[in-house]
Amino acid sequence: MFKGMTVVGTVLGLAILAGAASGQDAAQKALADATKARQAQMQLYAFNLGLLGGMAKGEVPYDATAASAAAGNLASLAQLDQSRLWPEGSDEMGVEGSKVMAELWQNMPDVMSKGADLVTAATAMEVAAGTDLASLQAAMGPLGGACGACHKAYRVPSN
Amino acid sequence: MRKTLTIIGFFAVALAGAGWWITTPERVDAGDYADLIGVPARGAVVFHAGGCASCHSAEGASGDKKLVLSGGRAFVSDFGTFHAPNISADPEHGIGDWSVTDLANAMIHGTSPTGQHYYPAFPYAAYSRVRPQDIADLHAYLITLPADATPDRAHDLAFPFTLRRGLGLWKALYVTDGWQVAGDLTEVEARGRYLAEALGHCAECHTPRGVLGGLDRDRWMAGAPNPSGQGTIPNITPAKLDWSEADLIAYFTSGFTPDYDTAGGSMAAVVESLAQLPDADRAALAAYLKRLPAVE
């Protein structure tokens, strides 16, 4: 009888442990998913910037309609709801492939302000891209500055 | 025996004398600076090309705060930790009471107004090539910047690097005249060389160093370990850097790489300075990089 209870207890205990482990797995997966989604968003920024930058460098002929569309995408991307994209714990130590420093979560007011700067720069690019090539070229610097400000402060250096 | 001792003694004294002479901090000829009139607007270009704010602003400063040159940033090296001094316009804690000649002695010879050697964390090995007029302009600009009363923090170095006098020997070995990229350069390439080798001091990070911290000039701009200890600084000679001139100019302007990532690590701060330069200067830098001898 006593032995039977021990067996039941052990089985129960193992089941609880397994449950906890799978809960942990699910939490870890959520962090990894958010990291992947963030990186996908960055890819979309880069893809749209590629067209604008190509025009700015003179490698692609300037086309107001195409440039406006790409810049509009940037402005939309910058204004996506990101409340689920940056869960705490999805830093470089917490998720493989993440390059976010843990400091980001200790400086949320600064992060939000840098995010607002990006929206401003992307919105300015939306206007500039549809105006003319010189305006587009002039708007590249502030846009790069807005991207770089956050990378400089909160991304692990890759070099 | 007595004679031998005398000879040995003589040579010992001569050697010590020569050593003392070699390690004496040098100064510029004040006459070279006496008639120069500094123009602050031109000095701003020298300031940004020299990247002064990257080291002398407070840690984490951005925007206008980068013009408050209160110092304090820490630079970890094999010799210990250096702390950038206050070079704001404060007359007591900064350089507000410096003359143009004081600034020239610091930049050209790494010599302080009181006649001490500066450590080469301050890149006078590059600034030694800066033209007197640019120093006068820089001086005129620096004194327009805000004063800040933050006191300097002492360097935290290991013996024997605490002995400043020994730096005279280092200077004799590693502070050289002349240009690294020689030969017939166009006017644009020559301007790029001046920006890169004199003001921009690119080689301080992009060129590897020997055991005593002198640049290995045979591997000019061929990449080096990151002084911050993490990863490496890339090789930017044509052997490894295949960006077009347009790519380089775009990078210096916006920080965007050809893949539309942004400048990382300490290069992000460099780009913030380069972005302040006239378009022609960024184009000149790009032209210079294309002229670098390829080093694998």
Side-chain angles (χ1 to χ4, degrees):
Chain A
M1 178 62 194
F2 188 75
K3 196 174 169 189
M5 281 191 64
T6 313
V7 171
V8 169
T10 310
V11 169
L12 265 176
L14 282 174
I16 289 164
L17 275 175
S22 81
Q24 223 170 32
D25 281 354
Q28 190 59 38
K29 185 174 182 307
L31 295 179
D33 285 350
T35 302
K36 269 194 277 185
R38 287 195 308 250
Q39 290 171 351
Q41 188 190 13
M42 296 297 172
Q43 283 289 320
L44 283 173
Y45 279 123
F47 179 65
N48 287 286
L49 281 164
L51 183 74
L52 298 169
M55 289 180 187
K57 284 188 243 180
E59 291 165 355
V60 180
Y62 173 67
D63 172 341
T65 313
S68 292
N73 286 343
L74 292 178
S76 304
L77 282 166
Q79 292 174 83
L80 285 183
D81 174 74
Q82 302 198 22
S83 50
R84 291 175 57 236
L85 274 188
W86 305 88
E88 196 160 352
S90 61
D91 58 279
E92 44 149 349
M93 303 300 276
V95 175
E96 197 175 334
S98 170
K99 292 198 276 185
V100 185
M101 296 178 184
E103 281 84 346
L104 180 132
W105 286 276
Q106 283 133 41
N107 296 285
M108 279 327 271
D110 181 56
V111 174
M112 300 307 275
S113 132
K114 286 184 162 64
D117 290 347
L118 177 61
V119 173
T120 307
T123 311
M125 176 55 95
E126 205 176 355
V127 177
T131 308
D132 56 27
L133 181 58
S135 308
L136 184 157
Q137 285 168 329
M140 286 301 288
L143 190 54
C147 297
C150 206
H151 290 163
K152 184 180 154 194
Y154 302 115
R155 185 173 66 168
V156 182
S158 54
N159 61 5
Chain B
M1 180 64 197
R2 179 115 179 246
K3 196 174 166 192
T4 316
L5 272 178
T6 312
I7 292 170
I8 290 174
F10 173 79
F11 278 108
V13 168
L15 203 65
W20 191 252
W21 179 73
I22 288 173
T23 59
T24 301
E26 282 185 77
R27 290 179 187 273
V28 298
D29 180 351
D32 292 348
Y33 294 84
D35 298 330
L36 300 177
I37 295 165
V39 178
R42 289 198 308 236
V45 174
V46 177
F47 176 80
H48 293 302
C52 311
S54 299
C55 291
H56 289 284
S57 64
E59 187 70 53
S62 63
D64 286 348
K65 290 272 166 58
K66 283 193 81 176
L67 297 178
V68 183
L69 306 174
S70 57
R73 286 182 197 245
F75 300 87
V76 180
S77 77
D78 293 344
F79 312 103
T81 299
F82 297 98
H83 295 105
N86 182 333
I87 60 160
S88 78
D90 189 278
E92 189 186 344
H93 298 286
I95 62 168
D97 66 348
W98 281 26
S99 66
V100 174
T101 317
D102 288 333
L103 185 61
N105 282 323
M107 292 177 68
I108 304 290
H109 292 300
T111 302
S112 80
T114 57
Q116 273 198 319
H117 290 301
Y118 286 124
Y119 287 96
F122 174 44
Y124 50 77
Y127 292 158
S128 61
R129 292 167 186 77
V130 175
R131 286 190 292 258
Q133 182 62 55
D134 278 355
I135 293 177
D137 291 341
L138 177 61
H139 181 267
Y141 176 69
L142 285 175
I143 57 174
T144 68
L145 296 179
D148 181 283
T150 306
D152 283 349
R153 215 175 137 189
H155 301 318
D156 186 7
L157 306 176
F159 187 81
F161 307 115
T162 43
L163 300 175
R164 281 182 189 255
R165 187 83 194 188
L167 288 166
L169 211 54
W170 191 92
K171 289 180 182 178
L173 286 170
Y174 300 118
V175 180
T176 56
D177 290 335
W179 303 104
Q180 190 63 30
V181 174
D184 277 341
L185 266 60
T186 66
E187 199 177 317
V188 171
E189 289 163 352
R191 173 66 182 165
R193 178 176 65 182
Y194 181 70
L195 290 168
E197 295 190 13
L199 290 173
H201 60 279
C202 313
E204 295 287 310
C205 288
H206 284 283
T207 299
R209 293 172 185 279
V211 279
L212 291 178
L215 295 179
D216 177 359
R217 291 174 175 272
D218 293 334
R219 298 193 54 75
W220 190 249
M221 307 285 195
N226 191 334
S228 79
Q230 204 170 30
T232 54
I233 306 287
N235 180 331
I236 52 170
T237 75
K240 295 286 179 202
L241 186 64
D242 58 1
W243 297 5
S244 70
E245 278 189 55
D247 289 339
L248 291 166
I249 295 168
Y251 181 68
F252 298 151
T253 312
S254 65
F256 285 128
T257 68
D259 296 330
Y260 295 91
D261 194 350
T262 59
S266 21
M267 195 60 199
V270 175
V271 167
E272 282 175 18
S273 295
L274 296 180
Q276 310 288 324
L277 295 181
D279 288 338
D281 278 347
R282 286 188 290 267
L285 266 181
Y288 168 80
L289 287 182
K290 287 287 170 187
R291 277 297 300 259
L292 286 177
V295 182
E296 286 296 334

